[in-house]
Amino acid sequence: MAMSDSSVGSGPAASVTAAPVSPSAQEPVRAAAGRRSNEALVGVLKVVLPPLIGLAVFVGLWYLVSMTSPQLPGPAKTWASAVQLFADPFYQNGPNDMGIGWNILNSLQRVGIGFGMAALIGIPAGFLLGRFDFLNRMMSPIISLLRPVSPLAWLPIGLLVFKAANPAAIWVIFISSIWPMIINTAVGVQRIPKDYLNVARVLDLPEWKVFTKILFPAVLPYMLTGVRLSIGVAWLVIVAAEMLTGGVGLGFWVWDEWNNLNVEHIIIAIFVVGLVGLLLEQALVLLANRFSYEEK
């Protein structure tokens, strides 16, 4: 029995188990882990560093300009004013004295209504123009004539028709944001391969089946591009329209702060407008990528 135990203990399995791992065998693993860590760090720096440098250069130039122009508040003074402003963004001291939060929400409401109406009309119109050549040739001169018109040129028409500032501002958003949706949707329909439509004609598919199975999936990326362009136009127009119509909104708030010579709040409003517009556009970009059928 003793010899048997001795033989088992001295077998090859025991010697393999007891063999230590040499330091030279661990070096490639550590080197590979170090390379992966360095690559990840470089990737993060490539993404984060350029925007940070750009922001630093922008703030530095802003500071230098504010030093040469005493009327322009510098970054530190504007930041202190922003902290105070956003400490209570939803105060309400009267119909024309509200916090910046209410102004943002009112502007977004007008944009949502005008943009939604433009989408409800513009997207179906784009499908019709792209699908029927006679209708496209009939409407092309009208679209080409009205599309380059400045958005604010439509404001007096809105005031004349609606007799009120709020619907007039919504009208300006509607008429300004409808064109990219019509044009992009129509172009998407026209670029569908003719073979698809020929197959649908051979199969004698009804028009609603052609729309749901062929037109809509193929045109969706073009349509979403038009929607993204339109939301940028709508948000750009609302500030200018509210400056002229008054009421509660970012545009009116900017004009009111200018009348009070509060330049810090005007600069804050510029950043707020840019940030909200960026968020709206990025949300639609994510939506467009979600429905993109291109190979990555």
Side-chain angles (χ1 to χ4, degrees):
M1 291 297 292
M3 293 177 60
S4 174
D5 292 340
S6 175
S7 63
V8 172
S10 62
S15 62
V16 171
T17 305
V21 179
S22 62
S24 59
Q26 294 180 353
E27 290 179 359
V29 178
R30 293 174 180 172
R35 284 195 299 269
R36 287 194 296 268
S37 177
N38 291 336
E39 290 174 358
L41 180 60
V42 170
V44 171
L45 290 177
K46 285 182 178 180
V47 173
V48 175
L49 195 58
L52 290 179
I53 294 175
L55 289 174
V57 171
F58 173 76
V59 173
L61 292 175
W62 179 10
Y63 175 77
L64 292 176
V65 173
S66 66
M67 292 292 290
T68 58
S69 178
Q71 295 83 9
L72 181 67
K77 189 176 180 181
T78 304
W79 175 258
S81 181
V83 171
Q84 183 180 3
L85 183 67
F86 284 97
D88 187 13
F90 291 101
Y91 74 85
Q92 190 168 358
N93 295 330
N96 294 325
D97 186 11
M98 298 184 181
I100 191 172
W102 293 116
N103 288 283
I104 294 173
L105 292 179
N106 276 272
S107 294
L108 286 173
Q109 182 184 28
R110 293 188 183 99
V111 168
I113 295 173
F115 175 78
M117 293 171 57
L120 288 176
I121 296 175
I123 292 175
F127 274 104
L128 293 175
L129 295 181
R131 186 80 173 92
F132 303 104
D133 184 62
F134 175 79
L135 190 61
N136 184 32
R137 287 186 282 111
M138 181 180 72
M139 296 301 297
S140 288
I142 300 175
I143 295 175
S144 300
L145 177 66
L146 298 181
R147 185 174 62 88
V149 175
S150 173
L152 293 183
W154 296 101
L155 184 59
I157 304 297
L159 292 172
L160 179 66
V161 172
F162 298 107
K163 311 294 184 183
N166 191 55
I170 294 173
W171 153 255
V172 171
I173 296 168
F174 165 80
I175 198 65
S176 303
S177 59
I178 194 172
W179 309 121
M181 285 187 276
I182 292 177
I183 295 172
N184 279 270
T185 304
V187 169
V189 174
Q190 292 168 353
R191 290 188 178 180
I192 294 177
K194 296 297 182 183
D195 294 340
Y196 293 0
L197 300 178
N198 291 336
V199 171
R201 194 176 296 111
V202 169
L203 296 176
D204 197 22
L205 295 178
E207 192 64 30
W208 69 270
K209 199 94 172 180
V210 174
F211 173 79
T212 56
K213 299 297 183 181
I214 298 176
L215 293 182
F216 186 77
V219 176
L220 189 58
Y222 293 91
M223 184 181 70
L224 290 176
T225 300
V227 168
R228 181 171 61 85
L229 295 174
S230 294
I231 195 65
V233 172
W235 186 246
L236 180 70
V237 168
I238 185 59
V239 177
E242 287 175 344
M243 282 185 177
L244 299 177
T245 57
V248 181
L250 277 174
F252 172 75
W253 188 72
V254 169
W255 190 251
D256 190 52
E257 295 303 315
W258 165 248
N259 291 329
N260 295 327
L261 296 179
N262 196 338
V263 185
E264 294 95 337
H265 285 185
I266 296 175
I267 296 175
I268 293 169
I270 291 173
F271 284 113
V272 169
V273 170
L275 181 61
V276 174
L278 177 64
L279 292 176
L280 290 174
E281 185 173 356
Q282 288 302 312
L284 290 174
V285 167
L286 292 176
L287 182 64
N289 292 336
R290 169 65 179 81
F291 292 100
S292 177
Y293 299 101
E294 297 179 358
E295 294 184 359
K296 304 296 183 184

